[in-house]
Amino acid sequence: MTISTTVFTVRKSEQGRWAVCETGFEEPLAEFEERDEAIEYARGMAATKARASVDADADQSAPGLHESYALDPVSGKSSRMDA
């Protein structure tokens, strides 16, 4: 059985806020004024999945971001793989 990867994307919305989107859903899960707040929310969502990634667009003060998360079979918790 293959476990699919859930992708959470952080990008600027048309309203100028930072939207957190999940692949497969049309509407954003949440929107934030600050990019860092949106990334933290996406990280929290990713940590609840067996396999997930967080991708954030770059802005003028920070480069783009890509992080991968996977379920640890020993602890039963999802953690960042590329930390």
Side-chain angles (χ1 to χ4, degrees):
M1 178 167 109
T2 303
I3 299 173
S4 63
T5 300
T6 303
V7 179
F8 295 97
T9 306
V10 176
R11 63 177 178 255
K12 275 278 184 132
S13 70
E14 291 178 10
Q15 295 77 25
R17 296 169 53 91
W18 289 95
V20 179
C21 302
E22 181 178 348
T23 301
F25 293 90
E26 198 169 313
E27 296 294 319
L29 299 174
E31 289 190 18
F32 299 87
E33 291 295 326
E34 300 295 326
R35 179 179 180 263
D36 289 344
E37 292 173 342
I39 290 171
E40 286 306 311
Y41 179 84
R43 285 174 172 156
M45 295 298 293
T48 69
K49 305 294 183 182
R51 294 184 70 73
S53 67
V54 173
D55 295 315
D57 288 348
D59 73 354
Q60 60 272 25
S61 63
L65 173 88
H66 175 79
E67 298 175 345
S68 298
Y69 293 78
L71 185 67
D72 177 357
V74 175
S75 70
K77 296 180 180 181
S78 190
S79 59
R80 199 166 134 196
M81 294 172 44
D82 49 3

